[in-house]
Amino acid sequence: MLRRLFTDHPASVDETYVEHLGVAASFGLHMVAAGLACLVHALFPFLFVKTGSLTIAGLYERMVTSRRRHAPGRLAGRDETAAYPDYAI
C-alpha cells in the first residue's frame, strides 16, 4: 500500500520513481527561478521582461514533448488523442 503511493503516479506517466523525481525536481527548480525573476521584474520592470513567459512556454513544451514520446500506446489504457489532464508533475 505505502509503496503504491510513490509508484502509481510515476507509472501512469511511464516513469520510474527516480525518473519522476528528476523530472519533477527539474520543473520545480525552473519554476522557482522564474518566480524569483518575476518578483524582481515586479520591482524593476525593465529586468526579466520575458523570463516568466519563456519559462512557462519552455516547461509546457517539455511536457508536451514527453507526452508525444510516450504516446501512442505506451501509456496503457489511455486515449491517444486525449490531453492527458492527469499528467501533472
Side-chain angles (χ1 to χ4, degrees):
M1 170 68 179
L2 185 60
R3 183 177 186 173
R4 290 184 55 207
L5 292 173
F6 291 91
T7 59
D8 280 358
H9 172 66
S12 76
V13 293
D14 200 27
E15 293 173 345
T16 66
Y17 172 79
V18 173
E19 289 170 333
H20 190 71
L21 174 69
V23 172
S26 173
F27 269 70
L29 290 173
H30 280 88
M31 288 190 279
V32 167
L36 292 173
C38 288
L39 290 172
V40 171
H41 173 75
L43 294 170
F44 305 102
F46 52 90
L47 296 175
F48 304 111
V49 176
K50 296 182 180 181
T51 303
S53 58
L54 289 175
T55 300
I56 291 167
L59 291 174
Y60 176 79
E61 182 61 31
R62 275 180 59 194
M63 189 175 288
V64 169
T65 300
S66 177
R67 287 180 194 158
R68 288 186 191 132
R69 186 179 72 236
H70 290 108
R74 289 201 53 202
L75 298 178
R78 298 197 187 258
D79 177 0
E80 294 153 7
T81 62
Y84 302 108
D86 63 340
Y87 198 94
I89 299 292

Coordinates of all heavy atoms in Angstrom, one line a residue:
M1 N 0.8 -1.2 0.0 CA 0.0 0.0 0.0 C 0.9 1.3 0.0 O 0.7 2.1 -0.8 CB -0.9 0.0 1.2 CG -1.7 1.2 1.5 SD -2.9 1.6 0.2 CE -3.6 3.0 0.8
L2 N 1.8 1.4 0.9 CA 2.6 2.5 1.0 C 3.5 2.7 -0.2 O 3.6 3.8 -0.7 CB 3.5 2.5 2.3 CG 4.4 3.7 2.6 CD1 3.6 4.9 2.8 CD2 5.3 3.4 3.8
R3 N 4.0 1.6 -0.8 CA 4.8 1.7 -2.0 C 4.0 2.3 -3.1 O 4.6 3.1 -3.9 CB 5.4 0.3 -2.3 CG 6.3 0.3 -3.5 CD 6.8 -1.0 -3.7 NE 7.8 -0.9 -4.8 CZ 8.6 -1.9 -5.2 NH1 8.5 -3.1 -4.6 NH2 9.4 -1.7 -6.2
R4 N 2.8 1.9 -3.2 CA 1.9 2.4 -4.3 C 1.8 3.9 -4.3 O 1.6 4.5 -5.4 CB 0.5 1.7 -4.3 CG 0.6 0.3 -4.7 CD -0.8 -0.4 -4.7 NE -1.6 0.4 -5.6 CZ -2.9 0.5 -5.5 NH1 -3.6 -0.2 -4.6 NH2 -3.6 1.1 -6.4
L5 N 1.8 4.5 -3.1 CA 1.7 6.0 -3.0 C 2.9 6.6 -3.8 O 2.7 7.7 -4.3 CB 1.8 6.4 -1.5 CG 0.5 6.0 -0.7 CD1 0.8 6.4 0.7 CD2 -0.7 6.7 -1.2
F6 N 4.0 6.0 -3.8 CA 5.2 6.5 -4.5 C 5.4 6.0 -5.9 O 6.2 6.6 -6.7 CB 6.5 6.1 -3.7 CG 6.5 6.8 -2.4 CD1 6.0 6.2 -1.3 CD2 7.1 8.1 -2.3 CE1 6.1 6.9 0.0 CE2 7.2 8.7 -1.1 CZ 6.7 8.1 0.1
T7 N 4.6 5.0 -6.4 CA 4.9 4.5 -7.7 C 3.7 4.6 -8.7 O 3.9 4.5 -9.9 CB 5.3 3.0 -7.6 OG1 4.2 2.3 -6.9 CG2 6.6 2.8 -6.8
D8 N 2.5 4.7 -8.2 CA 1.3 4.8 -9.1 C 1.4 5.9 -10.0 O 1.2 5.7 -11.2 CB 0.0 4.8 -8.3 CG -0.4 3.5 -7.8 OD1 0.3 2.5 -8.0 OD2 -1.4 3.4 -7.1
H9 N 1.5 7.1 -9.5 CA 1.6 8.3 -10.5 C 2.8 8.2 -11.4 O 2.6 8.4 -12.6 CB 1.5 9.6 -9.7 CG 1.7 10.8 -10.7 ND1 0.8 11.1 -11.7 CD2 2.8 11.6 -10.8 CE1 1.3 12.1 -12.3 NE2 2.5 12.5 -11.8
P10 N 4.0 8.0 -11.0 CA 5.1 7.9 -11.9 C 4.8 6.8 -13.0 O 5.1 7.0 -14.2 CB 6.3 7.5 -11.1 CG 6.0 8.1 -9.7 CD 4.5 7.9 -9.6
A11 N 4.3 5.7 -12.6 CA 4.0 4.6 -13.6 C 2.9 5.1 -14.6 O 2.9 4.7 -15.7 CB 3.5 3.4 -12.9
S12 N 2.0 5.9 -14.1 CA 0.9 6.4 -15.0 C 1.5 7.3 -16.1 O 0.8 7.5 -17.1 CB -0.2 7.1 -14.2 OG 0.2 8.4 -13.8
V13 N 2.6 7.9 -15.9 CA 3.3 8.7 -16.9 C 4.5 8.0 -17.5 O 5.4 8.6 -18.0 CB 3.6 10.1 -16.4 CG1 2.4 10.9 -16.1 CG2 4.5 10.0 -15.2
D14 N 4.6 6.6 -17.3 CA 5.6 5.8 -17.9 C 7.0 6.2 -17.4 O 7.9 6.3 -18.1 CB 5.5 5.8 -19.4 CG 6.2 4.6 -20.0 OD1 6.3 3.6 -19.3 OD2 6.7 4.7 -21.1
E15 N 7.1 6.4 -16.1 CA 8.4 6.8 -15.5 C 8.6 5.9 -14.2 O 7.6 5.5 -13.6 CB 8.5 8.2 -15.1 CG 8.5 9.2 -16.2 CD 8.4 10.6 -15.8 OE1 8.1 11.0 -14.6 OE2 8.7 11.5 -16.7
T16 N 9.8 5.7 -13.8 CA 10.1 5.1 -12.5 C 10.0 6.2 -11.5 O 9.9 7.4 -11.8 CB 11.5 4.5 -12.5 OG1 12.4 5.5 -12.6 CG2 11.7 3.4 -13.6
Y17 N 10.0 5.8 -10.2 CA 10.0 6.8 -9.1 C 11.2 7.8 -9.3 O 11.0 9.0 -9.2 CB 10.0 6.2 -7.8 CG 10.2 7.1 -6.6 CD1 9.1 7.9 -6.2 CD2 11.5 7.3 -6.1 CE1 9.3 8.8 -5.2 CE2 11.6 8.2 -5.0 CZ 10.5 9.0 -4.6 OH 10.7 9.9 -3.6
V18 N 12.4 7.2 -9.5 CA 13.6 8.1 -9.6 C 13.5 9.0 -10.9 O 13.9 10.1 -10.8 CB 14.9 7.2 -9.6 CG1 16.1 8.0 -9.9 CG2 15.0 6.4 -8.3
E19 N 13.1 8.4 -12.0 CA 12.9 9.3 -13.2 C 11.9 10.4 -12.9 O 12.2 11.6 -13.3 CB 12.4 8.5 -14.4 CG 13.4 7.5 -14.9 CD 12.8 6.5 -15.9 OE1 11.6 6.2 -15.9 OE2 13.5 6.1 -16.8
H20 N 10.8 10.1 -12.3 CA 9.8 11.1 -12.0 C 10.4 12.2 -11.0 O 10.1 13.4 -11.1 CB 8.5 10.5 -11.4 CG 7.4 11.4 -11.3 ND1 6.8 11.9 -12.4 CD2 6.8 12.0 -10.2 CE1 5.8 12.8 -12.0 NE2 5.9 12.8 -10.7
L21 N 11.2 11.7 -10.0 CA 11.8 12.6 -9.1 C 12.7 13.6 -9.8 O 12.6 14.8 -9.5 CB 12.7 11.8 -8.1 CG 13.5 12.6 -7.1 CD1 12.7 13.3 -6.1 CD2 14.5 11.7 -6.4
G22 N 13.5 13.2 -10.7 CA 14.3 14.1 -11.5 C 13.5 15.1 -12.4 O 13.8 16.3 -12.4
V23 N 12.5 14.6 -13.1 CA 11.7 15.4 -13.9 C 11.0 16.5 -13.1 O 11.0 17.7 -13.4 CB 10.7 14.6 -14.8 CG1 9.8 15.5 -15.5 CG2 11.5 13.7 -15.8
A24 N 10.3 16.0 -12.0 CA 9.6 16.9 -11.2 C 10.5 18.0 -10.5 O 10.1 19.1 -10.4 CB 8.8 16.1 -10.1
A25 N 11.6 17.5 -10.0 CA 12.6 18.5 -9.4 C 13.1 19.5 -10.4 O 13.2 20.7 -10.1 CB 13.7 17.7 -8.8
S26 N 13.3 19.0 -11.6 CA 13.8 20.0 -12.6 C 12.7 21.0 -12.9 O 13.0 22.2 -13.0 CB 14.1 19.2 -13.9 OG 14.4 20.1 -15.0
F27 N 11.5 20.6 -13.1 CA 10.4 21.5 -13.3 C 10.3 22.5 -12.2 O 10.1 23.7 -12.4 CB 9.1 20.8 -13.5 CG 8.7 20.4 -14.9 CD1 9.5 19.4 -15.6 CD2 7.7 21.0 -15.6 CE1 9.2 19.1 -16.9 CE2 7.4 20.7 -16.9 CZ 8.2 19.7 -17.6
G28 N 10.3 22.0 -10.9 CA 10.2 22.8 -9.8 C 11.3 23.9 -9.7 O 11.0 25.0 -9.4
L29 N 12.5 23.5 -9.9 CA 13.6 24.4 -9.9 C 13.5 25.5 -10.9 O 13.7 26.7 -10.6 CB 15.0 23.7 -10.0 CG 15.4 22.8 -8.8 CD1 16.6 22.0 -9.1 CD2 15.6 23.7 -7.6
H30 N 13.1 25.1 -12.1 CA 12.8 26.1 -13.2 C 11.7 27.1 -12.7 O 11.8 28.3 -13.0 CB 12.5 25.5 -14.5 CG 13.7 25.0 -15.2 ND1 14.2 23.7 -15.0 CD2 14.4 25.5 -16.2 CE1 15.2 23.5 -15.8 NE2 15.4 24.6 -16.5
M31 N 10.6 26.6 -12.1 CA 9.5 27.4 -11.7 C 10.0 28.4 -10.6 O 9.6 29.5 -10.6 CB 8.3 26.6 -11.3 CG 7.6 25.9 -12.5 SD 6.1 25.2 -12.1 CE 6.6 23.6 -11.4
V32 N 10.8 27.9 -9.6 CA 11.2 28.7 -8.6 C 12.1 29.9 -9.1 O 11.9 31.0 -8.8 CB 12.0 27.9 -7.5 CG1 12.7 28.8 -6.5 CG2 11.0 27.0 -6.7
A33 N 13.0 29.5 -10.0 CA 13.9 30.5 -10.6 C 13.1 31.6 -11.4 O 13.3 32.8 -11.3 CB 14.9 29.9 -11.5
A34 N 12.1 31.1 -12.2 CA 11.2 32.0 -12.9 C 10.4 32.9 -12.0 O 10.2 34.1 -12.2 CB 10.3 31.3 -13.9
G35 N 9.9 32.3 -10.9 CA 9.2 33.0 -9.9 C 10.0 34.2 -9.3 O 9.5 35.3 -9.1
L36 N 11.2 33.9 -9.0 CA 12.1 34.9 -8.4 C 12.3 36.0 -9.4 O 12.3 37.2 -9.1 CB 13.4 34.3 -7.9 CG 13.3 33.3 -6.7 CD1 14.7 32.6 -6.5 CD2 12.9 34.1 -5.5
A37 N 12.5 35.6 -10.7 CA 12.7 36.6 -11.7 C 11.5 37.5 -11.9 O 11.6 38.7 -12.1 CB 13.0 35.9 -13.1
C38 N 10.3 36.9 -11.7 CA 9.1 37.7 -11.8 C 9.0 38.6 -10.6 O 8.5 39.8 -10.8 CB 7.8 36.7 -11.8 SG 7.6 35.8 -13.4
L39 N 9.4 38.2 -9.4 CA 9.4 39.1 -8.3 C 10.3 40.3 -8.5 O 10.0 41.5 -8.2 CB 9.7 38.4 -7.0 CG 8.7 37.4 -6.5 CD1 9.2 36.6 -5.4 CD2 7.4 38.1 -6.1
V40 N 11.5 40.0 -9.1 CA 12.4 41.1 -9.4 C 11.8 42.0 -10.5 O 11.9 43.2 -10.4 CB 13.8 40.5 -9.8 CG1 14.7 41.6 -10.4 CG2 14.5 39.8 -8.7
H41 N 11.2 41.4 -11.5 CA 10.6 42.2 -12.5 C 9.5 43.1 -12.0 O 9.3 44.2 -12.5 CB 10.0 41.2 -13.6 CG 9.1 41.9 -14.6 ND1 9.7 42.6 -15.6 CD2 7.8 41.9 -14.8 CE1 8.7 43.1 -16.4 NE2 7.6 42.7 -15.9
A42 N 8.8 42.6 -10.9 CA 7.7 43.5 -10.4 C 8.3 44.8 -9.8 O 7.7 45.8 -9.9 CB 7.0 42.7 -9.2
L43 N 9.5 44.7 -9.2 CA 10.1 45.9 -8.7 C 10.9 46.7 -9.8 O 10.9 47.9 -9.7 CB 11.1 45.5 -7.6 CG 10.6 44.9 -6.3 CD1 11.7 44.3 -5.5 CD2 9.7 45.9 -5.6
F44 N 11.5 46.0 -10.7 CA 12.2 46.6 -11.8 C 11.7 46.1 -13.1 O 12.3 45.2 -13.7 CB 13.7 46.3 -11.6 CG 14.3 46.6 -10.3 CD1 14.5 45.6 -9.3 CD2 14.6 47.9 -10.0 CE1 15.0 46.0 -8.0 CE2 15.2 48.3 -8.7 CZ 15.3 47.3 -7.8
P45 N 10.7 46.8 -13.7 CA 10.0 46.2 -14.8 C 10.9 46.1 -16.1 O 10.5 45.4 -17.0 CB 8.9 47.2 -15.1 CG 8.9 48.2 -14.0 CD 10.1 48.0 -13.1
F46 N 12.0 46.7 -16.1 CA 12.9 46.6 -17.2 C 13.8 45.4 -17.2 O 14.5 45.1 -18.1 CB 13.8 47.9 -17.3 CG 14.5 48.2 -16.0 CD1 15.8 47.7 -15.7 CD2 13.9 49.0 -15.0 CE1 16.4 48.0 -14.5 CE2 14.5 49.3 -13.8 CZ 15.8 48.8 -13.6
L47 N 13.8 44.6 -16.0 CA 14.5 43.4 -15.9 C 13.6 42.2 -16.1 O 12.5 42.2 -15.7 CB 15.2 43.3 -14.5 CG 16.3 44.4 -14.2 CD1 16.7 44.2 -12.8 CD2 17.4 44.3 -15.1
F48 N 14.2 41.1 -16.6 CA 13.5 39.8 -16.8 C 12.1 40.0 -17.5 O 11.1 39.4 -17.0 CB 13.3 39.1 -15.4 CG 14.6 38.9 -14.7 CD1 14.9 39.6 -13.5 CD2 15.6 38.0 -15.2 CE1 16.1 39.4 -12.9 CE2 16.8 37.8 -14.5 CZ 17.0 38.6 -13.4
V49 N 12.1 40.8 -18.5 CA 10.8 41.1 -19.2 C 10.1 39.9 -19.7 O 8.9 39.8 -19.7 CB 11.1 42.2 -20.3 CG1 9.8 42.4 -21.1 CG2 11.7 43.4 -19.7
K50 N 10.9 38.9 -20.2 CA 10.3 37.7 -20.9 C 10.5 36.5 -20.1 O 10.1 35.4 -20.5 CB 10.7 37.6 -22.3 CG 10.3 38.7 -23.2 CD 10.8 38.5 -24.6 CE 10.4 39.6 -25.5 NZ 10.8 39.4 -26.9
T51 N 11.2 36.5 -19.0 CA 11.7 35.3 -18.3 C 10.5 34.4 -17.9 O 10.6 33.2 -18.1 CB 12.6 35.7 -17.1 OG1 13.7 36.5 -17.6 CG2 13.1 34.4 -16.4
G52 N 9.5 35.0 -17.3 CA 8.4 34.2 -16.8 C 7.7 33.5 -17.9 O 7.4 32.3 -17.9
S53 N 7.3 34.2 -18.9 CA 6.5 33.6 -20.0 C 7.4 32.6 -20.8 O 6.9 31.6 -21.2 CB 6.0 34.7 -21.0 OG 7.0 35.5 -21.5
L54 N 8.7 32.9 -21.0 CA 9.5 32.0 -21.7 C 9.7 30.7 -20.9 O 9.7 29.6 -21.5 CB 10.9 32.6 -22.1 CG 10.9 33.7 -23.1 CD1 12.3 34.3 -23.3 CD2 10.4 33.1 -24.5
T55 N 9.8 30.8 -19.6 CA 9.9 29.6 -18.8 C 8.7 28.8 -18.8 O 8.8 27.5 -19.0 CB 10.3 30.0 -17.3 OG1 11.5 30.7 -17.3 CG2 10.4 28.8 -16.4
I56 N 7.5 29.4 -18.7 CA 6.3 28.7 -18.8 C 6.1 28.0 -20.2 O 5.8 26.8 -20.2 CB 5.1 29.6 -18.6 CG1 5.1 30.1 -17.1 CG2 3.8 28.9 -18.9 CD1 4.1 31.2 -16.8
A57 N 6.4 28.7 -21.2 CA 6.3 28.1 -22.6 C 7.3 26.9 -22.7 O 7.0 25.9 -23.3 CB 6.6 29.2 -23.6
G58 N 8.5 27.1 -22.2 CA 9.5 26.0 -22.3 C 9.1 24.8 -21.5 O 9.3 23.7 -22.0
L59 N 8.6 25.0 -20.3 CA 8.2 23.8 -19.5 C 7.0 23.1 -20.1 O 6.9 21.9 -20.1 CB 7.9 24.3 -18.1 CG 9.1 24.7 -17.2 CD1 8.6 25.3 -15.9 CD2 10.0 23.6 -17.0
Y60 N 6.1 23.9 -20.7 CA 4.9 23.3 -21.4 C 5.4 22.5 -22.6 O 5.0 21.4 -22.8 CB 4.0 24.4 -21.8 CG 2.8 23.9 -22.6 CD1 1.7 23.3 -22.0 CD2 2.8 23.9 -24.0 CE1 0.7 22.7 -22.7 CE2 1.7 23.4 -24.7 CZ 0.7 22.8 -24.1 OH -0.4 22.3 -24.8
E61 N 6.3 23.0 -23.3 CA 6.9 22.3 -24.5 C 7.6 21.0 -24.1 O 7.4 20.0 -24.7 CB 7.8 23.2 -25.3 CG 8.4 22.6 -26.5 CD 7.3 22.2 -27.5 OE1 6.3 22.9 -27.6 OE2 7.5 21.2 -28.3
R62 N 8.3 21.1 -23.0 CA 9.0 19.8 -22.5 C 7.9 18.8 -22.1 O 8.1 17.6 -22.4 CB 9.8 20.2 -21.2 CG 11.2 20.6 -21.5 CD 12.0 20.9 -20.2 NE 12.1 19.8 -19.4 CZ 12.5 19.8 -18.1 NH1 12.8 21.0 -17.6 NH2 12.6 18.7 -17.4
M63 N 6.9 19.2 -21.5 CA 5.8 18.3 -21.0 C 5.1 17.7 -22.2 O 4.9 16.5 -22.3 CB 4.8 19.0 -20.1 CG 3.9 18.0 -19.5 SD 2.8 18.7 -18.3 CE 3.9 19.0 -16.9
V64 N 4.8 18.5 -23.2 CA 4.1 18.0 -24.4 C 5.0 17.1 -25.2 O 4.6 16.1 -25.7 CB 3.6 19.2 -25.3 CG1 3.2 18.8 -26.7 CG2 2.5 20.0 -24.6
T65 N 6.3 17.5 -25.3 CA 7.3 16.6 -26.0 C 7.3 15.2 -25.3 O 7.4 14.2 -25.9 CB 8.7 17.3 -26.0 OG1 8.6 18.5 -26.7 CG2 9.7 16.4 -26.7
S66 N 7.3 15.3 -24.0 CA 7.4 14.0 -23.2 C 6.1 13.2 -23.5 O 6.2 12.0 -23.6 CB 7.5 14.3 -21.7 OG 7.5 13.1 -21.0
R67 N 5.0 13.8 -23.6 CA 3.7 13.1 -23.9 C 3.8 12.4 -25.2 O 3.4 11.3 -25.4 CB 2.6 14.1 -23.9 CG 2.2 14.5 -22.5 CD 1.0 15.4 -22.6 NE 0.8 16.2 -21.4 CZ 0.2 17.3 -21.3 NH1 -0.4 17.9 -22.3 NH2 0.0 17.9 -20.1
R68 N 4.3 13.2 -26.2 CA 4.5 12.6 -27.6 C 5.4 11.4 -27.6 O 5.2 10.5 -28.3 CB 4.9 13.7 -28.5 CG 3.9 14.7 -28.8 CD 4.4 15.7 -29.9 NE 3.5 16.8 -30.0 CZ 3.9 18.1 -30.0 NH1 5.2 18.4 -29.9 NH2 3.0 19.0 -30.0
R69 N 6.5 11.5 -26.8 CA 7.5 10.4 -26.7 C 6.8 9.2 -26.2 O 7.1 8.1 -26.6 CB 8.7 10.9 -25.8 CG 9.8 9.9 -25.8 CD 11.0 10.4 -25.0 NE 10.6 10.3 -23.6 CZ 10.6 11.3 -22.7 NH1 11.0 12.5 -23.1 NH2 10.3 11.1 -21.5
H70 N 5.9 9.3 -25.2 CA 5.3 8.2 -24.6 C 4.1 7.7 -25.3 O 3.7 6.5 -25.2 CB 4.8 8.5 -23.1 CG 6.0 8.7 -22.2 ND1 6.4 9.9 -21.7 CD2 6.8 7.8 -21.7 CE1 7.4 9.8 -21.0 NE2 7.7 8.5 -20.9
A71 N 3.5 8.5 -26.2 CA 2.3 8.1 -26.9 C 2.8 7.6 -28.3 O 3.9 7.9 -28.7 CB 1.3 9.2 -27.1
P72 N 2.0 6.9 -29.1 CA 0.7 6.3 -28.7 C 1.0 4.9 -28.1 O 1.9 4.2 -28.4 CB 0.0 6.1 -30.0 CG 1.1 6.0 -31.0 CD 2.3 6.8 -30.5
G73 N 0.1 4.5 -27.2 CA 0.1 3.2 -26.7 C 1.0 2.9 -25.5 O 0.9 1.9 -24.9
R74 N 2.0 3.7 -25.3 CA 2.9 3.4 -24.2 C 2.3 3.7 -22.9 O 2.7 3.1 -21.9 CB 4.2 4.2 -24.4 CG 5.0 3.7 -25.5 CD 6.5 4.1 -25.5 NE 7.1 3.7 -24.2 CZ 8.2 4.3 -23.8 NH1 8.8 5.2 -24.5 NH2 8.8 3.9 -22.7
L75 N 1.3 4.6 -22.8 CA 0.6 4.8 -21.6 C -0.7 4.0 -21.7 O -1.7 4.4 -22.1 CB 0.2 6.3 -21.4 CG 1.4 7.3 -21.3 CD1 1.0 8.7 -21.2 CD2 2.3 6.9 -20.1
A76 N -0.5 2.8 -21.2 CA -1.6 1.8 -21.4 C -2.9 2.2 -20.9 O -3.1 2.9 -19.8 CB -1.2 0.5 -20.6
G77 N -3.9 1.9 -21.7 CA -5.3 2.2 -21.3 C -5.7 3.6 -21.5 O -6.8 4.1 -21.1
R78 N -4.9 4.4 -22.2 CA -5.2 5.8 -22.4 C -5.6 6.1 -23.8 O -5.1 5.5 -24.7 CB -4.1 6.7 -22.0 CG -3.7 6.6 -20.6 CD -2.8 7.8 -20.2 NE -2.3 7.6 -18.8 CZ -2.8 8.2 -17.8 NH1 -3.8 9.0 -17.9 NH2 -2.3 8.0 -16.6
D79 N -6.5 7.0 -24.0 CA -6.9 7.5 -25.3 C -5.7 8.3 -25.8 O -5.3 9.3 -25.3 CB -8.2 8.4 -25.2 CG -8.6 9.0 -26.5 OD1 -7.9 8.7 -27.5 OD2 -9.6 9.7 -26.5
E80 N -5.2 7.9 -27.0 CA -4.0 8.5 -27.5 C -4.3 9.9 -28.0 O -3.3 10.7 -28.1 CB -3.5 7.7 -28.7 CG -3.0 6.3 -28.2 CD -3.1 5.3 -29.3 OE1 -3.4 5.6 -30.4 OE2 -2.8 4.1 -29.0
T81 N -5.5 10.4 -28.2 CA -5.8 11.7 -28.6 C -6.2 12.6 -27.4 O -6.4 13.8 -27.6 CB -7.0 11.7 -29.6 OG1 -8.1 11.2 -28.9 CG2 -6.7 10.9 -30.8
A82 N -6.2 12.0 -26.2 CA -6.6 12.8 -25.0 C -5.5 13.8 -24.6 O -4.3 13.6 -25.0 CB -6.9 11.9 -23.9
A83 N -5.9 14.8 -23.9 CA -4.9 15.8 -23.5 C -4.1 15.4 -22.2 O -3.3 16.1 -21.7 CB -5.6 17.1 -23.2
Y84 N -4.3 14.2 -21.7 CA -3.7 13.7 -20.5 C -3.8 14.7 -19.4 O -2.8 15.2 -18.9 CB -2.2 13.4 -20.8 CG -2.0 12.4 -21.9 CD1 -1.5 12.7 -23.1 CD2 -2.3 11.0 -21.7 CE1 -1.3 11.8 -24.1 CE2 -2.1 10.1 -22.6 CZ -1.6 10.5 -23.9 OH -1.5 9.5 -24.8
P85 N -5.0 15.0 -18.9 CA -5.2 16.0 -17.9 C -4.5 15.6 -16.6 O -4.2 16.5 -15.8 CB -6.7 16.1 -17.7 CG -7.2 14.8 -18.2 CD -6.2 14.4 -19.3
D86 N -4.3 14.3 -16.3 CA -3.6 14.0 -15.1 C -2.1 13.8 -15.2 O -1.5 13.3 -14.4 CB -4.2 12.6 -14.6 CG -4.0 11.5 -15.5 OD1 -3.7 11.7 -16.7 OD2 -4.1 10.3 -15.0
Y87 N -1.6 14.4 -16.3 CA -0.1 14.4 -16.5 C 0.5 15.5 -15.7 O 1.4 16.2 -16.1 CB 0.2 14.5 -18.0 CG 1.6 14.0 -18.3 CD1 1.8 12.8 -18.7 CD2 2.7 14.9 -18.1 CE1 3.1 12.3 -19.0 CE2 4.0 14.5 -18.4 CZ 4.2 13.2 -18.8 OH 5.4 12.8 -19.1
A88 N 0.1 15.6 -14.4 CA 0.7 16.6 -13.6 C 2.0 16.1 -13.0 O 2.2 15.0 -12.8 CB -0.2 16.9 -12.4
I89 N 2.9 17.1 -12.8 CA 4.2 16.7 -12.2 C 4.1 16.7 -10.7 O 3.4 17.5 -10.1 CB 5.3 17.8 -12.6 CG1 5.4 17.7 -14.1 CG2 6.6 17.5 -12.0 CD1 6.0 16.5 -14.7

